[in-house]
């Protein structure tokens, strides 16, 4: 059964990250290896966080991935160009945030989609902390 395609909410910023398809990403089946997609989910979330929050905030807080779920829909071939990750966040749930990612090829076709569950932690202690309400603003449309 096909899963519904992830669509961003209108009140969320969709952050776009260009992705490079490197020779070492290609597996013996001739397409980007599944493990690479996990890295791309993490890279997209990190890039969004780094782009929206200053160094002081990033020094105080960090994120720990709790879970990744990926649906693979279309292989990405060697030498593919124009591949992007489009990412946005859901609603905070205490210290947790779901982050959604669509990975699209150069023609805009959905190749994979994923949901990662992240936990906000204090950078020094790595203790979970409730996500402050003001943290949602920079992720909003």
């Amino acid at each position: 059964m096909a899963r519904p395609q992830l669509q961003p909410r209108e009140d969320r910023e969709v952050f776009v990250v260009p992705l490079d398809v490197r020779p070492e990403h290609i597996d013996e089946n001739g397409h980007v290896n599944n493990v690479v997609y996990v890295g791309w989910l993490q890279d997209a979330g990190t890039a969004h966080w780094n782009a929206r929050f200053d160094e002081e905030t990033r020094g105080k807080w960090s994120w720990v991935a709790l879970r990744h779920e990926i649906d693979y829909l279309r292989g990405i071939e060697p030498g593919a160009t124009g591949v992007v990750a489009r990412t946005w966040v859901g609603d905070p749930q205490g210290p947790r945030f779901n982050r959604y990612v669509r990975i699209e090829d150069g023609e805009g076709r959905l190749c994979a989609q994923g949901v990662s569950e992240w936990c906000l932690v204090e950078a020094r202690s790595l203790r979970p902390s409730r996500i402050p309400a003001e943290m949602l603003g920079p992720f909003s449309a």
Side-chain angles (χ1 to χ4, degrees):
M1 181 167 92
R3 294 183 189 222
Q5 290 186 9
L6 294 175
Q7 296 295 332
R9 290 177 20 184
E10 290 184 16
D11 64 338
R12 293 293 188 256
E13 174 193 38
V14 177
F15 188 77
V16 180
V17 179
L19 302 173
D20 291 323
V21 177
R22 292 185 234 144
E24 62 268 24
H25 293 162
I26 307 304
D27 64 17
E28 57 202 29
N29 293 320
H31 57 72
V32 173
N33 187 277
N34 296 0
V35 173
V36 174
Y37 288 88
V38 175
W40 284 348
L41 264 61
Q42 182 162 325
D43 293 347
T46 300
H48 195 190
W49 167 250
N50 288 341
R52 294 297 170 256
F53 293 90
D54 62 24
E55 188 175 333
E56 182 180 341
T57 302
R58 294 190 322 263
K60 181 178 179 181
W61 302 108
S62 189
W63 294 93
V64 175
L66 301 175
R67 181 174 177 277
H68 298 292
E69 179 181 316
I70 302 173
D71 297 318
Y72 303 97
L73 306 167
R74 172 188 301 274
I76 298 176
E77 305 297 324
T81 60
V83 178
V84 297
R86 298 182 191 282
T87 186
W88 64 94
V89 299
D91 289 324
Q93 302 289 322
R96 298 173 183 214
F97 231 151
N98 277 345
R99 173 170 291 283
Y100 302 91
V101 180
R102 288 174 54 104
I103 297 175
E104 300 171 358
D105 65 15
E107 296 178 35
R109 296 179 298 189
L110 183 61
C111 297
Q113 61 182 12
V115 180
S116 295
E117 184 177 11
W118 292 88
C119 181
L120 181 68
V121 296
E122 295 176 15
R124 288 191 178 155
S125 68
L126 297 181
R127 297 186 73 142
S129 182
R130 179 174 291 280
I131 297 167
E134 62 271 10
M135 201 171 274
L136 189 57
F139 292 130
S140 299

